[in-house]
């Protein structure tokens, strides 16, 4: 019996219809490149010091001496304390010239009158507007983590909504959610309201990317899917990443920056009339006429005369059986066999570490040496060769060794950062870029590798659990960046150790290169060091029976 790909093979693999769909879907991914990373500029912390209220009894010379210097430095002033103003006033009356007196022994007090922020780089950020510094500096990473927590919630529900209402509805619905909450967040009157809207914004952000990925994968033929998911989506995501610093360079206020970024999304609404629904999904819902209409339109676009009858009754029934087979099964099935459990734990761990590294490096851009806007642009540009390399490796090389090598290289480079003298700032930036390239490279490959590890009934569930775990890593990443406020290279040390560790852990997974995708649990590759006992074999057979019953239902 022919499957969907065989039935629609007459369309060809790369005709005008497929090219148009790929172009529209990949171009529409661009806003996702800056949706989750605009916090780099929106939430950056400008240089600041305690505000000193104007006092006619205090000369300018004494005003300049009210801020203590950081111990061990001659030019860096404290950002969270000042000398007691009442003592300074009394001393200024006795000593008109502050140079005649050593003020370092005067008691200090917190910034009771707020802070003065430098406007050399920004006119405003959420940090400068709501004073998210000193005792409240935890609020800035919390804001970012809350956004990624929304992404976690969205990733858990987007698949269910997409299966229920269709890929196209989720695609444009999540686009509308992004635009709406981006517009609302610019009206935030307080940090608390900003956090709430930012959380809701995160729920819609990931749904669009996933829906575009699934829609394109279901419409395109097998030979084009890997290219679409790596070079297509990946490279255009990087284009959006590179656009962010370009726009932020000219727009230095956080409200106007988010407003402009959200208005860019309005340009994609007309795509509703050009991007079709997934024929596979329509067939799974029994909407045969709609599916046939889309396929015939694609055939006309490609200059091909379609068969008079596209689907026989037997083929429709067979397609329904296939759709049931690829539906996700309960997560509990992932822990009922030792082999599946070990693969799931290792995969989830790798995904989480990759997310920590990817978002940790991205969010750490303001703490790097050099120009923030140039560094952010380079961080986006370096992903394009990463996706090209991923595409080549996935076609030619073993999964396990190549993945482990990339992870170990990225981690080693980040650890080497600790040995670079502070005066070699360009070398430090280059090493960070190499580390970022490796992480993006590995992140792109892990999608394919993980999907090849699981059998058909568990594939959606296994990849979904791993993806959910990666969202946990993105929630943690802002606090890894916060470690840099205590020791500059500490975030690189933590991320480097984690990356090297994940590179070692990958070696415990089975190889899947040039091995047919497993359709049952028995066909799964075995973790060599994890001996499968008799009870595990019995449990595997029971799992197959349970899954078979669920498929029949």
């Amino acid at each position: 019996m022919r499957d969907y790909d065989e039935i629609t093979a007459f369309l060809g693999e790369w005709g005008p219809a497929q090219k148009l769909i790929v172009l529209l879907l990949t171009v529409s991914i661009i806003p996702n490149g800056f949706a989750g990373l605009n916090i780099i500029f929106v939430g950056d912390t400008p240089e600041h010091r305690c505000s000193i209220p104007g006092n006619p009894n205090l000369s300018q010379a004494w005003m300049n001496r009210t801020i203590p210097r950081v111990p061990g430095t001659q030019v860096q002033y404290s950002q969270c304390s000042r000398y007691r103003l009442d003592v300074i006033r009394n001393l200024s009356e006795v000593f008109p010239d502050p140079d005649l007196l050593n003020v370092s022994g005067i008691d200090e007090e917190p910034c009771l009158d707020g802070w003065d922020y430098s406007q050399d780089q920004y006119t405003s950020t959420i940090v400068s507007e709501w004073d998210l510094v000193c005792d409240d500096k935890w609020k800035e990473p919390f804001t970012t983590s809350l956004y990624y927590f929304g992404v976690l919630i969205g990733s858990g529900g987007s698949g269910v909504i997409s299966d229920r209402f269709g890929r196209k509805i989720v695609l444009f619905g999540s686009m509308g959610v992004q635009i709406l909450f981006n517009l609302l967040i610019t009206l935030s009157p307080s940090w608390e309201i900003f956090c709430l809207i930012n959380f809701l914004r995160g729920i819609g952000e990931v749904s669009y990317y996933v829906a575009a990925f699934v829609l394109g994968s279901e419409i395109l033929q097998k030979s084009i899917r890997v290219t679409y998911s790596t070079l297509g989506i990946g490279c255009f995501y990087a284009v959006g990443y590179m656009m962010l610093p370009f726009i932020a360079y000219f727009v230095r206020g956080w409200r106007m920056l988010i407003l402009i970024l959200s208005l860019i999304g309005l340009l994609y609404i007309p795509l509703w009339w050009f991007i079709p629904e997934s024929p596979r999904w329509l067939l799974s819902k029994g909407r045969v006429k709609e599916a046939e209409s889309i396929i015939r339109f694609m055939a006309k676009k490609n200059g091909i005369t379609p068969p008079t009858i596209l689907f026989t009754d037997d083929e429709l029934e067979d397609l329904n059986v296939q759709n049931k087979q690829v539906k996700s099964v309960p997560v509990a099935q992932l822990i009922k066999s030792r082999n599946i459990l070990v693969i799931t734990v290792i995969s989830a761990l790798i995904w989480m570490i990759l997310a920590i590294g990817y978002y940790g490096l991205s969010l750490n851009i303001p703490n790097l040496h050099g120009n923030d806007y140039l560094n952010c642009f380079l961080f986006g540009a370096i992903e394009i060769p990463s996706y090209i390399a991923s595409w080549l490796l996935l076609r030619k090389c073993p999964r396990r060794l190549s993945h482990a090598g990339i992870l170990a290289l990225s981690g080693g480079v980040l650890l080497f950062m600790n040995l670079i003298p502070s005066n070699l700032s360009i070398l430090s930036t280059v090493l960070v870029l190499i580390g970022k390239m490796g992480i993006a490279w590995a992140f792109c490959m892990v999608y394919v590798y993980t999907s090849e590890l699981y059998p058909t009934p568990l594939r959606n569930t296994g990849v979904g659990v791993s993806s959910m775990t990666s969202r946990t890593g993105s929630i943690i990443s802002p606090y890894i960046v916060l470690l840099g406020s205590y020791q500059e290279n500490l975030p690189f040390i933590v991320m480097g150790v984690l990356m090297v560790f994940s590179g070692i852990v990958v070696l415990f997974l089975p190889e899947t290169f040039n091995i047919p995708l497993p359709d049952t649990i028995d066909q799964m590759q075995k973790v060599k060091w994890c001996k499968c006992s008799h009870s595990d074999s019995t449990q595997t057979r029971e799992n197959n029976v349970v899954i078979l019953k669920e498929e029949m239902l």
Side-chain angles (χ1 to χ4, degrees):
M1 186 66 68
R2 299 183 301 168
D3 61 13
Y4 178 84
D5 288 327
E6 291 177 306
I7 294 171
T8 58
F10 69 90
L11 291 173
E13 295 184 349
W14 195 231
Q18 290 94 333
K19 291 178 182 178
L20 178 62
I21 291 171
V22 168
L23 175 64
L24 296 180
L25 286 175
T26 52
V27 168
S28 69
I29 287 294
I30 290 176
N32 283 81
F34 50 70
L37 296 173
N38 58 40
I39 195 68
I40 294 172
F41 301 105
V42 169
D44 194 11
T45 303
E47 289 293 325
H48 56 280
R49 56 190 288 183
C50 289
S51 179
I52 307 299
N55 191 320
N57 297 324
L58 208 58
S59 67
Q60 187 61 45
W62 271 105
M63 289 278 287
N64 294 335
R65 296 294 295 273
T66 55
I67 306 297
R69 289 185 173 90
V70 176
T73 68
Q74 293 297 320
V75 296
Q76 185 176 357
Y77 289 92
S78 173
Q79 296 180 329
C80 298
S81 64
R82 67 187 184 188
Y83 294 124
R84 286 181 53 185
L85 289 186
D86 57 340
V87 176
I88 291 293
R89 289 193 195 96
N90 293 335
L91 289 174
S92 66
E93 294 175 359
V94 180
F95 301 96
D97 186 357
D99 293 331
L100 301 176
L101 181 67
N102 181 10
V103 298
S104 60
I106 300 176
D107 291 338
E108 298 179 14
E109 63 184 6
C111 300
L112 302 179
D113 298 291
W115 290 263
D116 292 328
Y117 296 91
S118 169
Q119 293 194 345
D120 292 341
Q121 184 168 349
Y122 307 104
T123 57
S124 69
T125 69
I126 62 170
V127 173
S128 64
E129 182 161 335
W130 293 310
D131 291 334
L132 310 183
V133 293
C134 298
D135 290 342
D136 287 335
K137 68 179 180 180
W138 62 271
K139 291 183 178 180
E140 193 280 324
F142 178 79
T143 304
T144 309
S145 291
L146 201 59
Y147 169 82
Y148 289 123
F149 183 66
V151 173
L152 172 64
I153 301 299
S155 65
S158 63
V160 177
I161 298 173
S162 179
D163 289 339
R164 177 73 180 275
F165 299 103
R167 317 314 191 200
K168 187 175 177 179
I169 291 292
V170 172
L171 189 73
F172 288 92
S174 58
M175 183 187 298
V177 169
Q178 286 185 44
I179 296 172
L180 174 62
F181 285 116
N182 274 329
L183 293 174
L184 288 177
I185 207 169
T186 62
L187 304 176
S188 302
S190 65
W191 173 74
E192 291 78 8
I193 299 298
F194 181 93
C195 285
L196 175 61
I197 301 176
N198 205 36
F199 167 74
L200 297 174
R201 191 169 64 97
I203 293 178
E205 187 271 329
V206 71
S207 303
Y208 184 87
Y209 188 95
V210 173
F213 176 84
V214 172
L215 179 57
S217 299
E218 291 182 343
I219 291 178
L220 300 172
Q221 294 291 321
K222 292 179 180 178
S223 60
I224 306 298
R225 288 172 198 159
V226 172
T227 304
Y228 168 74
S229 60
T230 53
L231 297 184
I233 287 184
C235 289
F236 277 85
Y237 175 89
V239 169
Y241 198 151
M242 291 185 287
M243 284 178 59
L244 172 62
F246 179 80
I247 298 173
Y249 179 82
F250 294 99
V251 184
R252 302 299 181 98
W254 75 266
R255 294 180 189 269
M256 185 57 67
L257 175 60
I258 293 182
L259 177 62
I260 291 176
L261 293 177
S262 64
L263 293 178
I264 292 176
L266 293 175
L267 300 176
Y268 296 98
I269 292 179
L271 297 184
W272 170 270
W273 288 276
F274 298 95
I275 296 177
E277 180 57 270
S278 165
R280 289 176 184 265
W281 178 81
L282 291 170
L283 290 171
S284 72
K285 296 299 181 182
R287 295 160 62 175
V288 180
K289 290 184 178 180
E290 294 176 63
E292 286 190 354
S293 176
I294 292 172
I295 295 171
R296 293 185 185 278
F297 175 80
M298 292 178 64
K300 181 180 179 181
K301 192 77 175 175
N302 289 346
I304 297 171
T305 302
T308 305
I309 299 177
L310 292 179
F311 305 100
T312 65
D313 292 339
D314 290 339
E315 286 173 339
L316 288 173
E317 183 178 351
D318 188 55
L319 287 171
N320 285 331
V321 172
Q322 292 179 20
N323 286 322
K324 291 180 180 179
Q325 288 177 342
V326 298
K327 286 182 179 179
S328 299
V329 298
V331 178
Q333 295 294 333
L334 297 177
I335 62 175
K336 290 190 175 181
S337 165
R338 183 183 303 174
N339 187 64
I340 300 176
L341 175 61
V342 171
I343 289 176
T344 300
V345 170
I346 293 176
S347 298
L349 185 63
I350 293 169
W351 280 68
M352 182 175 70
I353 292 175
L354 281 171
I356 290 175
Y358 182 88
Y359 290 103
L361 288 180
S362 298
L363 297 174
N364 198 47
I365 286 175
N367 299 325
L368 298 178
H369 299 287
N371 185 280
D372 292 347
Y373 302 99
L374 177 60
N375 288 340
C376 186
F377 177 84
L378 293 175
F379 266 52
I382 202 68
E383 293 196 12
I384 293 180
S386 298
Y387 297 132
I388 296 174
S390 301
W391 176 65
L392 294 173
L393 277 182
L394 288 171
R395 297 178 62 193
K396 302 292 184 180
C397 298
R399 309 294 192 237
R400 182 174 57 182
L401 293 178
S402 58
H403 207 188
I406 295 166
L407 291 168
L409 172 65
S410 302
V413 167
L414 295 179
L415 289 174
F416 188 69
M417 281 278 300
N418 198 43
L419 304 178
I420 303 300
S422 58
N423 60 325
L424 299 178
S425 58
I426 296 179
L427 178 59
S428 298
T429 303
V430 170
L431 291 177
V432 175
L433 284 170
I434 295 174
K436 174 66 185 304
M437 180 179 69
I439 292 173
W441 190 348
F443 220 149
C444 185
M445 291 182 62
V446 78
Y447 277 89
V448 176
Y449 190 15
T450 305
S451 67
E452 293 174 344
L453 289 169
Y454 290 99
T456 300
L458 288 173
R459 191 166 294 122
N460 283 354
T461 303
V463 175
V465 168
S466 298
S467 180
M468 294 274 288
T469 310
S470 76
R471 307 304 172 189
T472 305
S474 62
I475 294 172
I476 297 172
S477 62
Y479 295 97
I480 302 294
V481 175
L482 185 62
L483 295 175
S485 62
Y486 302 100
Q487 205 280 330
E488 184 179 4
N489 286 330
L490 192 55
F492 301 116
I493 295 174
V494 173
M495 288 185 284
V497 170
L498 289 175
M499 296 301 295
V500 172
F501 173 72
S502 64
I504 296 172
V505 170
V506 167
L507 296 174
F508 292 102
L509 290 173
E511 182 56 68
T512 61
F513 182 60
N514 281 340
I515 296 176
L517 287 176
D519 290 320
T520 66
I521 293 178
D522 288 333
Q523 294 176 358
M524 285 183 67
Q525 299 295 310
K526 300 296 187 292
V527 180
K528 293 182 178 180
W529 58 271
C530 179
K531 299 297 183 181
C532 183
S533 64
H534 173 72
S535 60
D536 285 328
S537 299
T538 302
Q539 185 63 61
T540 298
R541 289 193 294 272
E542 292 177 354
N543 288 344
N544 284 329
V545 172
V546 170
I547 293 173
L548 180 60
K549 289 180 178 179
E550 290 172 350
E551 292 172 0
M552 294 175 64
L553 292 175

